[in-house]
Amino acid sequence: MSTTHRHAVVTGGAGFLGSHLCERLLAAGSRVTCIDNLCTSDGSNVDHLRGDPGFTFVRHDVSEPFATAEDVDLVLHFASPASPADYLRLPVETLRVGSVGTWHALEAARRTGARMVLASTSETYGDPQVHPQTESYWGHVNPVGPRGVYDEAKRFGEAITTAYRTAHGLDTAIVRIFNTYGPRMRREDGRAIPTFIAQALSGQPLTVAGNGRQTRSVCYVDDTVSGILAVAGSTLPGPFNVGYPEERSVLDIARAVAAAAGVDAPIEFIDRPVDDPGVRCPDITAIRTQLGWEPEVSFDDGLDRTIAWVRATPPAGLAGQRTAPAEVRG
Ligand code: NAD
């Protein structure tokens, strides 16, 4: 079912997921243009791709219009602050890139007749009243809470993507990505797994929000990227949940990180963020039955690989500083 694309544009391509997507697309023989304004990354995630003749990096804010080459046949719109620390720091920019930025990505795809894939999120389900979350669930989001800037930007992105499909016949797809972890996450970005790993490896207590009983389902990055590319390589519109359908409490995730890191770290309970979802678990029946995708990397394996990467990577983000409190958010 999957296709090789001639030339893919990846907005947000220098970020965590975007850089893995650029790498996999290049390996599959596509040319890749990465467009990123480096607002939540520093470009180092794609340093190893810069010598590849098929790779082009363009520093640009996609909330401003952008042009692409005529031969572009895939636009992956991944630009957006994604961790709570980032989108709470950049609330208006987050709303702009999810709305105007998505509109520009759709227009770019329309000009060349490309397929456009929107990176949406499990956060469109908000604090869900349906569990596990199926794509038919409309969600439970607080538009005026602090996280509304991210959740509503993504919900608007889904609406305008759908409108371009119906009004202009554009070939579009929506992926609702659940919490993903793995190499190249910034240790200081506030998301739970890199935070717990950074804390465990530097001898700090692991900061767990609330009583830690809220649940999350975390997917290893290689699996998430395969799921996204399976959708990109099809002609199906989705929305498709992409995630690991095994639920764990945040406290269990913290304990598992400490065990995998081989440390006996104490747990420190901290305030729960406003509107923090109580449960989170994807129903992946749609993508499994329609595209044959499901995650393959177990939680234990994924944690080992991520910790090995953190140990082997210069600790720029660790540098003796106390890490931010952990949250698990899409
Ligand atoms: P990230 O912060 O590592 O990467 C985002 C990239 O987008 C960064 O390189 C940033 O500089 C760039 N960017 C932000 N605003 C931009 C703009 N206006 N113009 C150009 N570039 C811009 O985040 P990530 O975890 O890789 O997330 C990538 C996408 O996937 C986001 O859209 C996010 O909402 C979505 N997502 C991620 C997860 C996850 O668990 N990682 C879950 C759900 C959805």
Side-chain angles (χ1 to χ4, degrees):
M1 171 79 76
S2 95
T3 332
T4 300
H5 298 278
R6 194 171 49 227
H7 186 170
V9 164
V10 184
T11 75
F16 165 51
L17 291 182
S19 64
H20 286 277
L21 284 164
C22 289
E23 193 176 292
R24 288 271 285 273
L25 286 161
L26 283 167
S30 303
R31 281 180 57 207
V32 173
T33 299
C34 162
I35 308 182
D36 200 302
N37 68 351
L38 305 184
C39 72
T40 64
S41 58
D42 62 6
S44 58
N45 285 340
V46 291
D47 275 352
H48 64 299
L49 304 178
R50 287 178 198 260
D52 189 317
F55 182 74
T56 306
F57 177 80
V58 179
R59 186 164 181 177
H60 179 72
D61 177 349
V62 297
S63 296
E64 302 300 328
F66 59 91
T68 62
E70 293 293 314
D71 65 346
V72 167
D73 55 356
L74 178 66
V75 175
L76 298 176
H77 181 46
F78 276 65
S80 173
S83 87
D86 289 333
Y87 63 69
L88 295 176
R89 178 174 59 87
L90 299 166
V92 176
E93 291 84 346
T94 302
L95 279 157
R96 268 175 62 75
V97 75
S99 54
V100 183
T102 304
W103 177 46
H104 291 148
L106 288 160
E107 277 298 315
R110 188 177 169 205
R111 275 191 301 270
T112 63
R115 179 161 167 81
M116 190 280 200
V117 178
L118 172 71
S120 186
T121 168
S122 57
E123 303 305 330
T124 59
Y125 299 125
D127 188 9
Q129 294 160 318
V130 166
H131 191 62
Q133 291 78 60
T134 50
E135 288 88 347
S136 57
Y137 176 49
W138 295 352
H140 181 223
V141 169
N142 176 5
V144 295
R147 289 142 193 272
V149 299
Y150 181 69
D151 304 358
E152 296 293 13
K154 293 289 183 179
R155 289 166 67 94
F156 178 88
E158 290 200 11
I160 192 171
T161 299
T162 305
Y164 263 68
R165 187 172 186 91
T166 48
H168 298 308
L170 193 70
D171 180 13
T172 63
I174 296 166
V175 281
R176 290 189 183 143
I177 304 164
F178 282 64
N179 300 127
T180 297
Y181 68 99
R184 299 195 198 137
M185 290 190 88
R186 281 169 302 136
R187 297 150 166 99
E188 73 283 13
D189 85 356
R191 289 186 268 193
I193 291 184
T195 304
F196 291 152
I197 293 175
Q199 290 170 331
L201 296 185
S202 59
Q204 295 174 20
L206 272 49
T207 49
V208 168
N211 61 14
R213 280 195 214 130
Q214 65 277 22
T215 67
R216 300 295 185 263
S217 305
V218 293
C219 193
Y220 188 66
V221 63
D222 289 1
D223 281 331
T224 297
V225 167
S226 299
I228 295 163
L229 292 178
V231 174
S234 77
T235 53
L236 300 173
F240 286 109
N241 287 340
V242 176
Y244 192 77
E246 231 176 75
E247 202 179 352
R248 294 186 159 70
S249 74
V250 171
L251 186 56
D252 283 347
I253 293 174
R255 288 188 175 131
V257 168
V263 300
D264 189 15
I267 303 286
E268 185 181 312
F269 292 95
I270 58 168
D271 286 347
R272 189 120 173 250
V274 178
D275 298 335
D276 191 40
V279 289
R280 181 69 85 227
C281 185
D283 180 321
I284 60 164
T285 308
I287 189 167
R288 185 192 280 136
T289 54
Q290 295 175 49
L291 290 167
W293 174 86
E294 61 188 333
E296 290 172 356
V297 180
S298 71
F299 179 57
D300 290 344
D301 236 24
L303 264 192
D304 286 346
R305 292 190 206 180
T306 308
I307 291 172
W309 176 82
V310 174
R311 285 193 204 275
T313 308
L318 277 172
Q321 76 197 37
R322 196 182 158 78
T323 45
E327 295 180 55
V328 186
R329 298 270 299 172

